[in-house]
Amino acid sequence: MSTRHRVALAVAVAAALIAPMYGCSYPGPWWPMGPHMAGYPGWYGPGPMPAGPGWNPGQTNPTVADVRAQLERWLAWQGNPRLRLGEVVERDADTIAADVVTRENSLVQRYLVDRRSGWWRITEDEK
């Protein structure tokens, strides 16, 4: 066995032994999400891409209180003392609007929550 093969084998064995410690089921270029990442607020955000507070798409018909609680947890997790939760209102039977604002009440981001699907999306709409 050549030196190159021994080094490759050693790296593969080390990766196979280290990967479970980080919650990965296998080493490779596409490491799956392990249990150490599951449950973090904001990991899966509005829509299908990770970005923002998110919502469990399996949970439908969230209330204004549910959306408020989710955003408060997400903002606390972000750790930015200059951001706070703004107004959270029911726009209609299918939509809840939620604002993230600065301490000076400047709008940072507005989210719309589809109550039927549970998905969040970022919007530029006025109230």
Side-chain angles (χ1 to χ4, degrees):
M1 183 181 287
S2 71
T3 303
R4 178 183 290 172
H5 288 105
R6 281 189 220 137
V7 169
L9 181 61
V11 169
V13 169
L17 294 174
I18 292 172
M21 292 189 301
Y22 292 99
C24 300
S25 59
Y26 68 97
W30 302 278
W31 292 59
M33 183 177 78
H36 63 288
M37 292 179 170
Y40 278 109
W43 188 254
Y44 290 106
M49 299 298 291
W55 188 261
N56 180 359
Q59 182 175 359
T60 57
N61 203 21
T63 64
V64 170
D66 292 335
V67 171
R68 183 183 319 277
Q70 178 75 7
L71 268 172
E72 286 173 347
R73 283 191 303 270
W74 181 71
L75 287 169
W77 179 74
Q78 292 295 313
N80 187 341
R82 293 176 285 186
L83 295 180
R84 67 178 184 84
L85 182 59
E87 190 175 28
V88 180
V89 295
E90 186 174 320
R91 276 197 174 175
D92 55 47
D94 295 330
T95 310
I96 296 174
D99 295 342
V100 175
V101 298
T102 64
R103 291 288 175 197
E104 295 80 28
N105 285 328
S106 297
L107 180 65
V108 174
Q109 194 71 67
R110 177 168 293 136
Y111 294 99
L112 293 181
V113 181
D114 184 338
R115 296 178 83 175
R116 288 173 287 144
S117 67
W119 285 110
W120 294 60
R121 70 180 172 95
I122 297 170
T123 183
E124 302 284 328
D125 296 345
E126 293 296 320
K127 294 184 182 194

